[in-house]
Amino acid sequence: LTLSVVFSNFASIIGFAFCQDMVQFLGGTWRAFAFSFLMYLVRYFGVSYIQNPWFVLIFQPIHALSAVMFVAGGLIHLRQTCPIPVMTTLISLFNTTHYGLGTIIGSSISGIIYEKYGGRTLFKSTSMLALVWLLVLIVYIVLVVRKRERKEKEGTGKTNGLLLMEPVQDKNIKEEKA
């Protein structure tokens, strides 16, 4: 167990170093979310089929493309879309929801599934949940994000792929400075 954590943490260090470039390469935060759920799907589905526990080390580096990309994408998205005065609050809510509430609920449900049905079923069901969220994100990207990008491109004649590269400034702050 300890060696697998070392592998995923080492992958996280590398992943966080390149996450901004990766989000830009993927075409924005929503596509990065979709990519992260695709990697969750691959990771958990692969783990559900291993026979030898040492083979889990093959799937642990995917942590950099699943969990790291999800967290980094969320933080980049907040930076791009929220006003500066509430950014800290929203980042705190994101982290509390992801690391606090998500961990409590996920561990509770996973424990029940593991106890009743075993590890293979747990990882297969988790990979199927990742697939469902991936499909939801693909539909959202196709129906909403692409439409927004087209409108932005028509309005400015160009698009930066990330929609809003710089943080949104609060209008009240700008007026006070002016």
Side-chain angles (χ1 to χ4, degrees), residues 77-176:
H77 186 77
L78 287 174
R79 186 191 74 211
Q80 293 170 353
T81 58
C82 74
I84 289 176
V86 297
M87 191 177 305
T88 303
T89 303
L90 292 176
I91 289 172
S92 297
L93 286 171
F94 175 81
N95 285 331
T96 301
T97 304
H98 182 264
Y99 293 110
L101 188 61
T103 301
I104 291 169
I105 293 171
S107 296
S108 300
I109 295 171
S110 296
I112 293 168
I113 294 171
Y114 183 82
E115 190 174 276
K116 285 189 175 186
Y117 304 106
R120 290 191 194 284
T121 302
L122 171 64
F123 284 107
K124 284 179 186 174
S125 62
T126 305
S127 68
M128 292 301 108
L129 185 61
L131 176 63
V132 168
W133 278 113
L134 173 62
L135 295 174
V136 167
L137 280 171
I138 289 171
V139 168
Y140 181 78
I141 289 168
V142 168
L143 295 179
V144 177
V145 174
R146 280 189 177 175
K147 184 177 179 181
R148 190 180 316 147
E149 287 174 344
R150 272 190 236 114
K151 277 186 177 180
E152 180 185 287
K153 190 173 184 178
E154 289 170 2
T156 62
K158 62 179 182 173
T159 181
N160 61 17
L162 291 176
L163 296 181
L164 299 168
M165 194 64 161
E166 296 299 318
V168 176
Q169 298 292 326
D170 191 334
K171 292 179 183 175
N172 295 329
I173 292 175
K174 281 187 175 181
E175 290 174 5
E176 291 173 12

Side-chain angles (χ1 to χ4, degrees), residues 13-23 69:
I13 292 169
I14 295 169
F16 276 119
F18 297 103
C19 62
Q20 180 93 23
D21 296 331
M22 190 71 166
V23 168
M69 187 58 62

